Amino acid sequence: MSEPEEVRQLRACRAEVEGIKKELEDAREQQAKLEEKINGLLKKQREARKKRREAVLAADAAGVPRLRISKEVGMQRSNVYKLLEGADTGDSDTSDDS
Protein backbone atom coordinates (compact mmCIF):
# COMPACT_ATOMS: atom_id res chain seq x y z
CA MET A 1 0.00 0.00 0.00
CA SER A 2 1.53 3.31 -1.03
CA GLU A 3 1.51 6.36 1.14
CA PRO A 4 -0.31 9.50 0.13
CA GLU A 5 1.77 12.18 -1.59
CA GLU A 6 1.11 14.55 1.31
CA VAL A 7 2.81 12.17 3.78
CA ARG A 8 5.86 11.87 1.54
CA GLN A 9 5.97 15.64 1.29
CA LEU A 10 5.78 15.99 5.08
CA ARG A 11 8.71 13.59 5.49
CA ALA A 12 10.73 15.46 2.87
CA CYS A 13 10.09 18.76 4.65
CA ARG A 14 11.13 17.23 7.97
CA ALA A 15 14.34 15.87 6.46
CA GLU A 16 15.13 19.26 4.93
CA VAL A 17 14.59 21.12 8.22
CA GLU A 18 16.64 18.56 10.20
CA GLY A 19 19.45 18.77 7.64
CA ILE A 20 19.56 22.56 7.91
CA LYS A 21 19.45 22.30 11.70
CA LYS A 22 22.47 19.96 11.66
CA GLU A 23 24.42 22.28 9.32
CA LEU A 24 23.61 25.20 11.58
CA GLU A 25 24.88 23.34 14.65
CA ASP A 26 28.11 22.48 12.80
CA ALA A 27 28.56 26.10 11.75
CA ARG A 28 28.05 27.28 15.33
CA GLU A 29 30.68 24.83 16.57
CA GLN A 30 33.12 26.12 13.95
CA GLN A 31 32.32 29.69 14.97
CA ALA A 32 33.00 28.91 18.63
CA LYS A 33 36.36 27.37 17.71
CA LEU A 34 37.26 30.40 15.62
CA GLU A 35 36.31 32.79 18.43
CA GLU A 36 38.49 30.80 20.81
CA LYS A 37 41.38 30.96 18.35
CA ILE A 38 40.87 34.72 17.84
CA ASN A 39 40.87 35.34 21.59
CA GLY A 40 44.10 33.35 21.95
CA LEU A 41 45.72 35.29 19.13
CA LEU A 42 44.62 38.60 20.63
CA LYS A 43 46.23 37.61 23.92
CA LYS A 44 49.47 36.69 22.13
CA GLN A 45 49.33 40.00 20.26
CA ARG A 46 49.01 41.96 23.51
CA GLU A 47 51.99 40.09 24.95
CA ALA A 48 54.05 40.66 21.79
CA ARG A 49 53.21 44.37 21.80
CA LYS A 50 54.28 44.60 25.42
CA LYS A 51 57.64 43.00 24.53
CA ARG A 52 57.93 45.35 21.55
CA ARG A 53 57.26 48.35 23.78
CA GLU A 54 59.96 47.25 26.21
CA ALA A 55 62.40 46.70 23.34
CA VAL A 56 61.67 50.16 21.90
CA LEU A 57 62.18 51.78 25.31
CA ALA A 58 65.44 49.89 25.81
CA ALA A 59 66.72 50.83 22.35
CA ASP A 60 65.85 54.49 22.93
CA ALA A 61 67.57 54.45 26.31
CA ALA A 62 70.64 52.92 24.64
CA GLY A 63 70.77 55.82 22.18
CA VAL A 64 69.59 54.02 19.04
CA PRO A 65 68.26 56.66 16.63
CA ARG A 66 64.48 56.77 16.61
CA LEU A 67 64.28 56.48 12.83
CA ARG A 68 66.22 53.24 13.02
CA ILE A 69 64.05 52.00 15.89
CA SER A 70 60.91 52.62 13.83
CA LYS A 71 62.37 50.80 10.81
CA GLU A 72 63.63 47.83 12.81
CA VAL A 73 60.43 47.39 14.81
CA GLY A 74 58.13 47.98 11.80
CA MET A 75 56.20 50.88 13.29
CA GLN A 76 55.53 54.30 11.86
CA ARG A 77 57.92 56.83 13.32
CA SER A 78 55.05 58.91 14.71
CA ASN A 79 53.80 55.90 16.66
CA VAL A 80 57.28 55.27 18.06
CA TYR A 81 57.34 58.88 19.26
CA LYS A 82 53.89 58.48 20.81
CA LEU A 83 55.01 55.31 22.55
CA LEU A 84 58.08 57.06 23.92
CA GLU A 85 56.07 60.12 24.99
CA GLY A 86 53.58 57.82 26.73
CA ALA A 87 56.47 56.18 28.56
CA ASP A 88 57.65 59.60 29.76
CA THR A 89 54.22 60.34 31.26
CA GLY A 90 53.58 56.80 32.49
CA ASP A 91 50.75 56.17 30.02
CA SER A 92 50.37 52.79 28.35
CA ASP A 93 51.02 52.21 24.67
CA THR A 94 47.71 53.03 23.01
CA SER A 95 48.75 53.57 19.41
CA ASP A 96 49.95 50.34 17.84
CA ASP A 97 49.68 50.01 14.11
CA SER A 98 51.19 46.58 13.60
Side-chain angles (χ1 to χ4, degrees):
M1 177 173 197
S2 73
E3 297 176 343
E5 175 62 27
E6 294 79 12
V7 172
R8 286 194 299 265
Q9 213 170 16
L10 289 171
R11 287 183 184 157
C13 289
R14 176 183 173 185
E16 181 181 8
V17 169
E18 287 178 354
I20 293 170
K21 183 178 176 181
K22 174 66 174 138
E23 285 185 58
L24 190 56
E25 288 172 5
D26 293 344
R28 286 185 175 136
E29 287 176 15
Q30 290 175 0
Q31 183 180 19
K33 288 178 184 177
L34 284 174
E35 287 176 7
E36 185 177 324
K37 181 177 181 177
I38 288 169
N39 289 334
L41 290 171
L42 287 171
K43 182 179 178 185
K44 284 182 178 181
Q45 184 182 45
R46 284 189 299 273
E47 293 167 357
R49 285 181 172 175
K50 183 178 179 184
K51 287 180 189 176
R52 179 181 69 184
R53 180 179 189 273
E54 292 168 0
V56 167
L57 295 175
D60 186 60
V64 177
R66 290 181 174 182
L67 177 61
R68 178 139 189 221
I69 291 172
S70 69
K71 286 182 179 180
E72 296 295 337
V73 81
M75 290 175 67
Q76 291 181 5
R77 197 168 21 154
S78 61
N79 288 339
V80 170
Y81 290 136
K82 288 177 187 176
L83 185 149
L84 294 170
E85 289 171 12
D88 292 341
T89 61
D91 294 342
S92 64
D93 179 17
T94 58
S95 58
D96 287 326
D97 71 340
S98 301

